[in-house]
Amino acid sequence: MRLIVSGGGTGGHIFPAISIANAVKQRRPDTEILFVGALGRMEMQRVPAAGYKIVGLPVQGFDRKHLLKNIKVLWNLYKSKRMAKKIVKEFKPDAAVGVGGYASGPMLDECCAAGVPCLIQEQNSYAGVTNKLLAKKVRKICVAYEGMERFFPEDKILLTGNPVRQNIIESEITKEEALKAFGLDADKKTILIVGGSLGARTLNESVLQHLEDIKDSGVQIVWQTGKYYSEMIAAEKAKAVAAGCWPENLHETDFISDMAAAYKAADLVISRAGASSISEFCLIGKPVILVPSPNVAEDHQTKNAMALVDKDAAIYVKDSEAAEKVISVAVETVKDDALLKSLHENILKLALPDSADIIADMVLKLA
């Protein structure tokens, strides 16, 4: 069997794509899988690291602020469509999967035009532009949230949930081992702050503005600053240490490689509201405070967050208010055992396990 998997741009698109490919391989080890991504985007590194071949298209997003720049964007889209047509002709796929992101538009468009059965996977509660455009042409649409018929034809929708990083679900590390690995105190409550691999300015400012409060909180905090902000934060830390006001109970790192252990150590997480992260929190039943990023298309992170908040399965803090209040809300929450238990039970009810397996079975059926 020959399968094309296309899309990317962020970890939220790439992790599901790789999980689906792995699940297909598990069922049919003889499957030849070709990934198609966008040149210069994250998938061009992450996919080969996962052991798959990837081809890059020169496709880009439209620039809504500088309209003249879109002449180049349109030219690159034309080139991408020609390349995609050539890929279909030479690779001869039996099926194709699109996970959203720039590349999946031209690639799946050409696959559909050539009569290749296609499936798209929409991670968010608010459908992305590419997937909305492809919806009429594809055979199946796998979604993670209820109510997606307002974007897609109802007869094509399959509620599967989002495939997530397998190591997070399969990790057998105990809480004690996880706390030890991070050098943490087993007698203190632990808050984990994550803003994605590159970091989140709002979450980082929330910490830097409340060093004194953290020092006096009686809890411990593991803080992933993100690689993008690591130099700035190292400079801020040096100043705070020199002034004697850096909290000993604050453990910062630019990147956490073992997220399974970090989640296990934490009693509460503060996070952005990306679809993949939310799916992970649901599957492991992790109490979470969501601070949606306002810098995403259609404000879809707020919509993702509210799908949980409306079911009392997460706490919501608006990005514009986070610097002022997210630390105090987190400290208050982590000390309230009844609230943590209720958040844990409610978020667990929203988990949709085995997503990658269900999607892989559908891909095989289509092929």
Side-chain angles (χ1 to χ4, degrees):
M1 196 179 99
R2 302 161 83 80
L3 174 67
I4 282 177
V5 181
S6 184
T10 66
H13 292 308
I14 299 162
F15 297 138
I18 291 169
S19 295
I20 294 165
N22 290 345
V24 169
K25 271 284 200 195
Q26 225 169 0
R27 280 154 179 71
R28 288 277 302 267
D30 61 329
T31 306
E32 193 180 337
I33 299 178
L34 176 68
F35 276 76
V36 180
L39 287 172
R41 305 291 287 187
M42 199 192 279
E43 58 266 26
M44 301 308 293
Q45 278 81 45
R46 293 283 174 92
V47 169
Y52 292 103
K53 187 183 170 192
I54 187 165
V55 176
L57 304 180
V59 65
Q60 301 161 277
F62 279 91
D63 192 326
R64 291 172 195 185
K65 288 178 187 165
H66 311 96
L67 293 177
L68 283 174
K69 287 188 179 173
N70 289 319
I71 295 167
K72 188 184 175 191
V73 173
L74 288 167
W75 172 244
N76 283 332
L77 178 62
Y78 168 73
K79 279 203 298 188
S80 297
K81 281 182 77 70
R82 287 193 61 172
M83 281 175 74
K85 198 171 192 168
K86 194 174 175 219
I87 290 167
V88 174
K89 204 175 167 185
E90 290 174 2
F91 187 71
K92 298 183 177 65
D94 297 299
V97 174
V99 294
Y102 301 141
S104 67
M107 193 64 245
L108 262 79
D109 217 15
E110 290 302 330
C111 285
C112 290
V116 177
C118 294
L119 171 154
I120 53 175
Q121 199 257 330
E122 175 56 62
Q123 297 92 23
N124 293 294
S125 61
Y126 194 93
V129 176
T130 304
N131 279 347
K132 280 195 279 193
L133 292 171
L134 290 168
K136 291 186 184 76
K137 304 173 184 179
V138 301
R139 305 266 183 98
K140 276 286 169 197
I141 302 165
C142 297
V143 301
Y145 292 89
E146 289 168 355
M148 296 302 283
E149 55 280 354
R150 57 193 190 185
F151 303 111
F152 302 132
E154 198 169 349
D155 57 332
K156 294 183 180 183
I157 294 174
L158 189 63
L159 182 66
T160 58
N162 283 324
V164 300
R165 294 175 282 189
Q166 286 311 107
N167 61 324
I168 285 174
I169 310 305
E170 291 164 3
S171 172
E172 288 175 4
I173 192 169
T174 64
K175 184 163 188 178
E176 289 68 31
E177 289 165 345
L179 288 164
K180 203 173 171 186
F182 284 93
L184 297 167
D185 185 341
D187 298 322
K188 281 185 179 165
K189 288 288 180 78
T190 306
I191 297 169
L192 169 68
I193 301 176
V194 280
S197 53
L198 294 175
R201 179 184 290 160
T202 303
L203 299 187
N204 291 341
E205 284 174 357
S206 303
V207 175
L208 292 172
Q209 288 176 28
H210 293 275
L211 295 177
E212 205 59 48
D213 297 329
I214 290 168
K215 202 176 198 173
D216 301 335
S217 66
V219 306
Q220 55 200 351
I221 294 178
V222 176
W223 173 29
Q224 180 180 277
T225 63
K227 295 189 171 178
Y228 189 76
Y229 297 97
S230 56
E231 281 181 29
M232 181 272 282
I233 284 159
E236 290 293 329
K237 181 180 179 178
K239 277 192 274 182
V241 168
C245 60
W246 186 263
E248 279 182 19
N249 54 337
L250 177 61
H251 308 267
E252 93 293 343
T253 174
D254 66 341
F255 183 71
I256 298 170
S257 55
D258 190 351
M259 278 312 293
Y263 285 157
K264 187 67 82 165
D267 297 288
L268 175 70
V269 180
I270 300 173
S271 170
R272 287 304 202 190
S276 283
S277 300
I278 285 182
S279 296
E280 288 172 355
F281 300 142
C282 291
L283 286 161
I284 59 175
K286 190 55 62 180
V288 62
I289 294 175
L290 296 170
V291 184
S293 169
N295 313 314
V296 292
E298 316 286 358
D299 195 25
H300 68 245
Q301 283 204 6
T302 299
K303 295 173 178 94
N304 290 349
M306 295 321 288
L308 271 68
V309 174
D310 291 343
K311 293 192 167 91
D312 297 323
I315 292 168
Y316 166 61
V317 173
K318 202 174 175 182
D319 184 83
S320 58
E321 297 169 1
E324 182 194 330
K325 67 183 198 186
V326 77
I327 296 296
S328 60
V329 170
V331 171
E332 216 173 285
T333 304
V334 84
K335 291 178 178 178
D336 185 338
D337 288 336
L339 178 54
L340 287 181
K341 184 171 186 281
S342 151
L343 287 168
H344 162 72
E345 288 169 357
N346 291 342
I347 199 169
L348 212 46
K349 287 176 196 163
L350 303 178
L352 291 164
D354 311 318
S355 304
D357 294 333
I358 297 165
I359 297 169
D361 287 337
M362 183 48 70
V363 171
L364 293 172
K365 208 169 157 184
L366 287 176

